[in-house]
Amino acid sequence: MADILLPSKISEVESSLVSSEPQRRHPAPKRAPRRPELPPNDEIQAWSKPVQPVDDLDSVANRYPDRHLSLSSKRKPMEFYDTPERPKAFSMDSLEFFFLIAQYFREALPLRLILLMIACQKAGGQIRLTQEEMATVLDVHRGKLNEALAEVMSHGIVFKVRRGIYQFNPPYSYRVAEFIPGTEMIEAEYVQVDQDKTIAKIRKDETLPDLVRFPSLEHMREAIENLRKQRAEERAARRLARAQRQEEGSAQ
């Protein structure tokens, strides 16, 4: 026991426990910067807290009065029936225009013709159809088609640019853009014609009628009201005549 406690023995044991390899000092771990303390009622603390069930949006709004709450959903793709020649083709139309022509035109052919010309618009509102093609598509006699076309044009809805090309009045219906599919020889093309440019071009053309240059549906509204008054007067006259006949029959 005395030998074990000798200083020489102790130094030998300590030297055996120490490695001969040089020791590397490990850097002390960096401390994360201290975050500033937030007020206990700050709304940003909600991001670090467990999600709580929401009974209604009013309770959330009352909890964070200086925040604007909004809900959104995934936007669904727009659906259009199309063809390879006219992919995703659509136009922007005036609902007031549709509402009035449905009341104004008493026959179906002018309405069918208007719908056909809307469907055949190119970018910029041009319609490349001859009268023969219109009559063939609508399956009507050429004379009937000409009468309906003249009536539609008399209201400034469309006007003739040259043979086989018509222009839809932009405030009523207008096709802004058009995708033209490519071929082996021609690359695909996307054509866009802004409405304001087409309107400015039409208004500068003093050879066009005023109803084309400065379109208005007011004359249609007035015509519809006059027609309704006329029909109301005719119904009242028929009722009066029927009542008079009944009185004459009872007197006899």
Side-chain angles (χ1 to χ4, degrees), residues 6-209:
L6 291 176
S8 60
K9 296 291 184 180
I10 293 174
S11 61
E12 290 177 3
V13 173
E14 289 178 349
S15 63
S16 65
L17 295 176
V18 177
S19 174
S20 60
E21 295 292 331
Q23 297 293 322
R24 297 180 180 179
R25 298 183 64 184
H26 296 283
K30 295 183 179 180
R31 294 183 179 179
R34 187 176 181 182
R35 296 181 180 180
E37 293 295 334
L38 296 174
N41 60 347
D42 195 295
E43 56 266 27
I44 203 171
Q45 288 188 356
W47 297 105
S48 61
K49 294 181 179 179
V51 178
Q52 298 179 357
V54 177
D55 297 330
D56 54 68
L57 292 180
D58 290 336
S59 61
V60 180
N62 293 333
R63 186 176 180 183
Y64 310 112
D66 56 343
R67 297 279 179 170
H68 295 285
L69 302 181
S70 63
L71 295 177
S72 62
S73 60
K74 184 178 180 181
R75 184 182 296 274
K76 296 183 179 180
M78 300 179 70
E79 294 185 6
F80 290 95
Y81 290 106
D82 57 5
T83 60
E85 295 78 16
R86 296 169 60 82
K88 296 293 179 287
F90 64 96
S91 63
M92 58 181 189
D93 308 293
S94 167
L95 299 182
E96 180 68 10
F97 169 68
F98 282 152
F99 183 75
L100 288 178
I101 63 175
Q103 300 175 76
Y104 181 83
F105 291 107
R106 315 305 298 182
E107 297 181 357
L109 185 54
L111 291 172
R112 293 175 61 205
L113 179 59
I114 291 173
L115 292 176
L116 172 65
M117 301 182 90
I118 289 176
C120 294
Q121 285 187 82
K122 299 293 183 182
Q126 282 197 351
I127 306 140
R128 300 172 186 175
L129 284 176
T130 63
Q131 295 181 13
E132 293 86 352
E133 291 171 335
M134 296 179 194
T136 301
V137 173
L138 297 177
D139 194 19
V140 296
H141 189 270
R142 171 73 181 276
K144 291 289 185 180
L145 185 281
N146 291 344
E147 293 177 4
L149 180 59
E151 184 178 4
V152 171
M153 292 177 62
S154 68
H155 299 290
I157 298 173
V158 297
F159 62 92
K160 187 175 182 178
V161 179
R162 56 181 180 273
R163 186 180 184 277
I165 298 182
Y166 297 83
Q167 172 72 46
F168 219 106
N169 215 326
Y172 300 146
S173 177
Y174 190 75
R175 186 172 179 186
V176 181
E178 176 186 8
F179 176 75
I180 303 176
T183 62
E184 295 180 357
M185 304 297 295
I186 303 175
E187 293 185 357
E189 183 180 6
Y190 181 82
V191 180
Q192 180 174 340
V193 183
D194 292 334
Q195 186 195 44
D196 60 324
K197 295 180 180 179
T198 303
I199 292 177
K201 182 179 179 181
I202 292 174
R203 289 181 177 170
K204 289 180 181 179
D205 190 351
E206 297 182 356
T207 63
L208 296 173

